[in-house]
């Protein structure tokens, strides 16, 4: 032991005089370890087991009557060829469009609002900050109900649209994909031959339908409610951006837009990463709006994987499939978080870029 | 290295300890379910827990009162709880091995729970088993076992706005009895901003036309979703959706048929018994009558919806629960429930008294004679949900194609 201590002095905590501290350390962290373990780690492990088992919702999933079925549940929703696969395909289609459109838009809006309310010249900054943040502190169930009301056929939104001569759609009951609506406006109403094959039981034509009008209304809601939260993160980050670099940029003759794009934004990179990651996770996991609002309708166009997982487990007693969907969703989220982390990584300045800043005629 | 190893061992120990703990929790409770009495039902001194999905204050109070009265008489303690989300709370109870002894159970979730062994099939033990309408008994029969006592039921009928009816120059003699007549009066009643007939875009309404055409979803255990009769029914509905005399409730801007009717966006709707409560609460000024749905090519047809008193297989006191169910489904008690919150009694011995008390609503009760019910096989809920999704686009869709896909899905679950 002593030899080891002398070799690795920084790991000495486990022995000698410091032995007591190790115990104390465990003691102090024990409450969190126990709570996290009991309410997070073990349930996740159990759900993982359920996704590989034929547990049917009765009694303990760990009892001897529950059997291991391998990847059967995963196969049912990805290659089964039946309704389970089709439903999963539809839910992935819906959520993919949701994420692709909501995440960039809410991030851009949040950043825009943050820049606006951070400007020293703005009067009533406090008021606007509160106003923009307000939707975020309201319960999403309440907002959903409000949204159903605003976007009803004879609701406020359609009333306003009618002022400018637009007959608004029947928002939450309209299953048409917005790209399909656009295509039918130019006379394309059915799938070209090339798009009639498909993936996960959904034809390519339907994959490219875009979000339905109903889902689109939910997307507007998501952007409306979450950009306030993310605005707050951006405001905090903007306050840490020193004015010196901006002033230096000004001396060099950079325009306001250039200063924002080349000086401020790069310094916001860590926050941008946080916001995009949180947005991505939140986006893939949409549940309560669907649960309170449409239950997946119209025509399954607001069915999300999280809601499908709930439906499979709690309504159809297909607990294995429900957990399998949850874990596939988990893998998808991890994958995209990693991709995004890789895209936003700190890169050394490229040679081509560096060359732009060299004084002409001088060798680097 | 040693530290890392220890961390892994620690985590492993924690996981194992936790797993044991959880399996301990889950394992108890469903092996020691009291003594088994005659007829395979358990019996003990345990109190009964009853979980209901209540429609409101009136229903809760009525059930609580009835249970309390029985409890006093029998000496068995019983407690009524109201579920916020019945399916979820039931699932939790079954998973934990401590489900409520008795609970409301809808016809579309019975197959799932019966399939995993959560339910006790006590139907044949009931003293009043023969009194229930045969179609309701069939509705709660899975794989030949009559599982649970129908609590009450509803059927669909044609609800007609009498003011709009007379304003259009129609009389009582014009109440439609055939598809052609229905199409004719719908056309007469259709005006700018109002359709003749509205109904929800779902099998649970459109299915009445399929029944009237002589079709259905499952006949004698065979999936028959794409039968020519069903195609004919959907063609009929489609043609009138196209000419604008029929419309889906959502397409006239209403959440459901009752709302379309109350807001006078439709002069007639296809709805069930529940519309009475909604009309008196939200639209007390709209006058209406309830008529039987018109006959199609194959005669009359409608759909029935029902719930039963589910009993848990893990209940330690099933004998007492059975007695309570017999009490709750007795003629007098069902009539009392009907008066308190409006459901239709599930037993034929209460029919005359009910018709006498509700002379305007008898069309609902006569529907019981020819009602079909949505398929109750395990997995059928998903098939219906998919069918409903396709029905929303019936106006532009192809009935044969829609029904073919439903048939394929239905065959997969019926096996």
């Amino acid at each position: 032991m002593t030899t080891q201590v002398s070799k690795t002095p920084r790991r000495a905590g486990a022995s000698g005089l410091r032995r007591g501290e190790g115990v104390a350390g465990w003691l102090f962290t024990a409450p969190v370890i126990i709570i996290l373990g009991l309410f997070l780690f073990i349930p996740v492990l159990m759900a993982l087991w359920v996704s590989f088992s034929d547990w049917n919702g009765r009694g303990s999933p760990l009892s001897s009557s529950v059997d291991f079925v391998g990847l059967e549940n995963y196969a049912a929703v990805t290659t089964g060829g039946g309704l389970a696969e089709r439903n999963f395909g539809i839910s992935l289609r819906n959520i993919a469009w949701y994420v692709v459109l909501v995440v960039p838009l809410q991030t851009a809006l949040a950043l825009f609002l943050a820049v606006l309310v951070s400007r020293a010249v703005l009067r009533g900054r406090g008021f606007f900050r509160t106003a923009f943040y307000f939707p975020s502190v309201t319960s999403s169930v309440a907002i959903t109900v409000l949204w159903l009301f605003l976007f009803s056929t004879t609701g406020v939104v359609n009333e306003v649209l009618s002022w400018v001569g637009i007959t608004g759609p029947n928002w939450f009951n309209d299953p048409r994909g917005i790209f399909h609506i656009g295509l039918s406006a130019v006379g394309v109403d059915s799938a070209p031959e090339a798009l009639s094959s498909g993936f996960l039981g959904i034809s390519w034509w339907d994959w490219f339908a875009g979000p339905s009008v109903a889902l689109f209304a939910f997307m507007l809601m998501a952007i409306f409610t979450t950009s306030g939260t993310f605005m707050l993160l951006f405001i905090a980050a903007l306050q840490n951006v020193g004015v010196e670099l901006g002033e230096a940029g000004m001396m060099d003759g950079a325009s306001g837009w250039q200063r924002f794009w080349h000086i401020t934004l790069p310094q916001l990179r860590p926050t941008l990463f946080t916001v995009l990651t949180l947005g991505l996770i939140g986006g893939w996991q949409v549940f309560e709006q669907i649960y309170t609002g449409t239950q997946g309708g119209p025509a399954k166009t607001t069915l999300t994987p999280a809601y499908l997982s709930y439906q499979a487990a709690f309504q159809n007693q297909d607990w294995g499939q429900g957990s399998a969907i949850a874990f596939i969703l988990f893998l998808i989220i991890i994958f995209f978080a990693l991709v995004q982390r890789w895209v936003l990584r700190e890169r050394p300045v490229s040679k081509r870029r560096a060359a732009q800043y060299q004084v002409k005629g001088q060798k680097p | 290295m040693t530290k890392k190893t220890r961390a892994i061992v620690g985590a492993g120990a924690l996981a194992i300890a936790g797993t044991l703990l959880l399996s301990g929790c889950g394992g108890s409770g469903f092996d020691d379910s009291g003594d088994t009495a005659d007829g395979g039902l358990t019996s003990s001194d345990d109190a009964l827990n009853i979980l209901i999905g209540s429609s409101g204050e009136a229903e809760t109070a009525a059930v609580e009162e009835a249970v309390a009265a029985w409890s006093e008489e029998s000496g068995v303690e019983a407690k009524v709880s109201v579920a916020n989300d019945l399916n979820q709370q039931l699932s939790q109870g079954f998973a934990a091995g401590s489900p409520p002894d008795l609970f409301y159970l809808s016809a579309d979730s019975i197959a799932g729970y019966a399939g995993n062994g959560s339910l006790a099939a006590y139907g044949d033990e009931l003293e009043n088993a023969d009194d229930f309408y045969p179609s309701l008994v069939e509705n709660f029969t899975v794989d030949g076992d009559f599982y649970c006592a129908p609590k009450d039921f509803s059927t669909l009928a044609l609800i007609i706005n009498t003011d709009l009816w007379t304003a259009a120059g129609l009389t009582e003699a014009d109440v439609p009895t055939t598809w052609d007549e229905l199409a004719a009066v719908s056309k007469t009643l259709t005006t700018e901003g109002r359709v003749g007939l509205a109904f929800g875009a779902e099998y649970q309404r459109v299915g009445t036309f399929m029944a009237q055409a002589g079709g259905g979803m499952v006949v004698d255990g065979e999936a028959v979703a794409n039968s020519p009769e069903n195609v004919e029914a959907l063609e009929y509905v489609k043609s009138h959706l196209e000419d604008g005399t029929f419309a889906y409730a959502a397409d006239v801007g209403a959440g459901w048929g009752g709302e379309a009717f109350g807001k006078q966006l439709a002069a007639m709707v296809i709805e069930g018994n529940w519309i009475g409560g909604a009309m008196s609460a939200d639209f007390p000024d709209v006058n209406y009558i309830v008529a039987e749905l018109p006959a199609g090519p194959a005669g009359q047809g409608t759909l029935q919806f029902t719930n039963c008193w589910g009993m848990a297989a893990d209940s330690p006191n099933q004998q007492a629960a059975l007695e309570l169910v017999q009490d709750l489904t007795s003629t007098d008690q069902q009539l009392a429930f009907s008066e308190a919150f409006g459901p239709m009694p599930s037993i034929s011995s209460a029919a005359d008294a009910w018709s006498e008390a509700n002379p305007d609503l008898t069309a609902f009760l006569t529907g019981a004679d020819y009602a079909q019910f949505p398929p109750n096989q395990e997995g059928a809920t998903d098939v219906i949900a998919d069918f409903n999704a396709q029905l929303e686009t019936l106006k532009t869709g192809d009935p044969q194609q829609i029904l073919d896909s439903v048939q394929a899905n239905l065959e997969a679950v019926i096996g």
Side-chain angles (χ1 to χ4, degrees):
Chain A
M1 262 307 182
T2 43
T3 50
Q4 199 186 6
V5 168
S6 63
K7 269 180 192 165
T8 54
R10 287 172 68 197
R11 290 197 178 177
S15 67
L17 285 174
R18 301 202 162 231
R19 179 178 292 271
E21 286 183 15
V23 175
W26 279 110
L27 211 60
F28 278 112
T29 48
V32 176
I33 291 178
I34 290 170
I35 290 171
L36 279 186
L38 203 57
F39 294 105
L40 195 77
F41 190 59
I42 294 173
V44 167
L45 281 184
M46 280 179 71
L48 186 65
W49 158 244
V50 168
S51 76
F52 289 109
S53 79
D54 63 356
W55 186 60
N56 53 23
R58 184 172 175 231
S60 165
L62 303 170
S63 72
S64 54
S65 59
V66 177
D67 295 321
F68 177 77
V69 295
L71 290 170
E72 208 171 273
N73 293 315
Y74 290 87
V77 293
T78 51
T79 56
L83 209 48
E85 181 194 348
R86 210 176 110 78
N87 282 342
F88 184 61
I90 290 174
S91 72
L92 275 189
R93 190 266 316 260
N94 296 339
I95 205 67
W97 283 114
Y98 182 94
V99 169
V100 161
L101 295 172
V102 165
V103 173
L105 285 177
Q106 78 187 12
T107 309
L109 182 65
L111 185 56
F112 177 69
L113 292 178
V115 170
L116 280 190
V117 299
S118 296
R119 292 172 76 117
V121 291
L122 184 74
R123 279 184 186 215
R125 281 196 296 166
F127 170 76
F128 284 111
R129 275 185 203 184
T130 316
F132 293 146
Y133 188 58
F134 211 71
S136 307
V137 291
T138 314
S139 110
S140 69
V141 172
I143 297 244
T144 309
V145 174
L146 175 78
W147 224 252
L148 291 175
F149 186 67
L150 288 177
F151 283 82
S152 77
T153 336
T154 50
V156 178
V157 173
N158 278 359
E159 183 66 29
V160 171
L161 285 176
S162 72
W163 293 346
V164 289
I166 299 171
T167 314
N170 191 351
W171 292 92
F172 282 108
N173 291 304
D174 197 333
R176 292 173 301 162
I178 54 174
F179 295 150
H180 276 181
I181 294 175
L183 282 174
S184 74
V186 293
V188 184
D189 271 323
S190 55
E193 197 58 37
L195 291 180
S196 57
S197 65
F199 173 59
L200 284 177
I202 317 290
S203 72
W204 290 117
W205 169 250
D206 285 333
W207 274 100
F208 291 112
S212 72
V213 177
L215 188 62
F216 186 69
F218 276 126
M219 290 162 56
L220 292 179
M221 183 171 98
I223 294 168
F224 174 72
T225 51
T226 46
S227 43
T229 317
F230 296 145
M231 174 193 77
L232 218 57
L233 293 179
F234 280 126
I235 290 175
L238 281 169
Q239 277 163 355
N240 284 333
V241 172
V243 290
E244 301 83 5
L245 285 173
E247 282 172 356
M250 226 184 282
M251 297 302 286
D252 287 343
S255 70
W257 175 249
Q258 283 174 320
R259 271 179 283 139
F260 173 75
W261 193 250
H262 293 290
I263 296 173
T264 312
L265 198 57
Q267 294 183 78
L268 293 179
R269 194 201 298 266
T271 312
L272 202 62
F273 175 71
T274 311
V275 166
L276 285 172
T277 309
L278 290 177
L280 210 61
I281 293 172
W284 282 99
Q285 292 183 338
V286 177
F287 176 78
E288 65 265 36
Q289 295 92 316
I290 310 302
Y291 179 75
T292 39
T294 55
Q295 276 91 44
K300 296 187 186 174
T301 56
T302 61
L303 191 67
T304 64
Y307 186 74
L308 184 68
S309 163
Y310 163 81
Q311 212 178 27
F314 283 92
Q315 288 174 11
N316 301 347
Q317 309 302 317
D318 271 330
W319 295 83
Q321 276 184 26
S323 317
I325 293 169
F327 277 97
I328 296 175
L329 190 61
F330 171 74
L331 292 178
I332 291 173
I333 292 174
I334 296 279
F335 173 76
F336 280 101
L338 288 176
V339 166
Q340 179 217 334
R341 195 186 155 95
W342 179 76
V343 171
L344 283 182
R345 71 196 184 281
E346 289 282 348
R347 272 165 284 206
V349 180
S350 69
K351 275 191 178 152
R352 184 181 59 82
R353 198 67 174 280
Q356 290 177 343
Y357 298 98
Q358 296 293 331
V359 179
K360 282 207 174 118
Q362 204 175 41
K363 294 233 165 161
Chain B
M1 256 317 171
T2 51
K3 196 168 182 181
K4 202 168 186 179
T5 319
R6 201 179 312 143
I8 292 167
V9 170
L14 190 73
I16 291 166
T19 311
L20 289 174
L21 190 75
L22 284 170
S23 63
C25 295
S28 68
F30 69 97
D31 292 323
D32 51 348
S33 40
D35 307 319
T36 303
D38 296 334
L41 296 181
T42 59
S43 166
S44 68
D45 295 334
D46 292 17
L48 293 180
N49 280 310
I50 297 132
L51 186 70
I52 64 170
S54 178
S55 63
E57 205 59 43
E59 182 167 359
T60 311
V63 175
E64 276 175 350
E65 197 185 317
V67 170
W70 174 83
S71 191
E72 189 142 316
E73 199 180 301
S74 66
V76 179
E77 274 183 66
K79 183 173 166 290
V80 177
S81 324
V82 179
N84 298 314
D85 186 330
L86 189 64
N87 267 328
Q88 189 198 324
Q89 277 165 265
L90 276 182
S91 297
Q92 275 170 357
F94 289 130
S98 56
D101 302 277
L102 276 183
F103 42 85
Y104 280 14
L105 185 63
S106 70
D108 56 6
S109 48
I110 185 172
Y113 289 125
N116 67 18
S118 298
L119 299 179
Y122 68 89
D124 294 330
E125 313 281 331
L126 288 162
E127 281 168 16
N128 55 348
D130 299 334
D131 201 6
F132 295 103
Y133 289 104
S135 62
L136 296 178
V137 171
E138 205 186 325
N139 211 160
F140 292 113
T141 300
V142 179
D143 295 333
D145 291 325
F146 174 25
Y147 267 86
C148 49
K151 182 171 78 70
D152 47 38
F153 77 116
S154 314
T155 61
L156 297 175
L158 188 65
I159 320 292
I160 300 172
N161 183 321
T162 42
D163 295 332
L164 297 175
W165 187 262
T166 42
L170 296 166
T171 65
E172 216 166 283
D174 295 315
V175 172
T177 55
T178 65
W179 277 8
D180 290 340
E181 287 176 28
L182 180 67
V185 294
S186 297
K187 197 172 173 200
T188 315
L189 289 164
T190 302
T191 57
E192 181 65 36
R194 178 179 304 136
V195 295
L197 176 68
F199 42 87
E202 49 186 358
Y203 161 74
Q204 288 85 343
R205 301 288 177 279
V206 179
T208 56
F209 292 101
M210 289 159 55
Q212 290 151 17
M217 298 293 277
V218 179
V219 174
D220 298 333
E222 294 275 323
V224 290
N226 62 351
S227 67
E229 291 86 3
N230 288 343
V231 176
E232 185 185 5
L234 290 199
E235 293 283 3
Y236 173 76
V237 174
K238 179 183 154 91
S239 69
H240 291 293
L241 288 174
E242 275 171 351
D243 69 23
T245 56
F246 294 3
Y248 287 143
D251 292 333
V252 295
W256 62 294
E259 191 186 338
F261 189 71
K263 288 182 172 170
Q264 313 218 4
L265 299 164
M268 304 184 288
V269 289
I270 299 173
E271 279 298 340
N273 306 51
W274 48 82
I275 196 172
M279 294 303 291
S280 55
D282 298 335
F283 309 101
D285 300 332
V286 177
N287 299 310
Y288 64 93
I289 55 165
V290 179
E292 286 184 64
L293 287 167
Q300 288 190 293
T302 185
L303 292 176
Q304 72 187 25
F305 303 97
T306 172
N307 283 295
C308 76
W309 286 106
M311 189 190 290
D314 295 340
S315 163
N317 199 357
Q318 292 169 334
Q319 195 58 47
L322 179 74
E323 281 156 30
L324 175 56
V325 169
Q326 277 169 187
D327 185 74
L328 292 172
T329 54
S330 66
T331 316
D332 292 343
Q333 189 56 58
Q334 288 217 47
L335 287 169
F337 281 154
S338 173
E339 201 180 325
F341 59 99
M344 214 154 52
S346 57
I347 45 178
S348 48
S349 64
D352 290 340
W354 189 83
S355 300
E356 213 165 285
N358 305 281
D360 301 334
L361 304 177
T362 47
F364 286 127
L365 194 59
T366 28
D369 296 339
Y370 48 82
Q372 292 188 353
F373 53 87
N376 63 351
Q377 283 78 6
E378 195 171 358
T381 328
D382 276 355
V383 177
I384 299 298
D386 194 68
F387 187 18
N388 289 347
Q390 298 195 60
L391 279 176
E392 291 188 36
T393 52
L394 175 63
K395 202 169 163 180
T396 52
D398 173 21
Q400 183 72 52
Q401 207 177 334
I402 292 174
L403 289 167
D404 283 345
S405 79
V406 176
Q407 175 73 9
N409 292 334
L410 198 57
E411 277 172 359
V413 302
I414 286 184

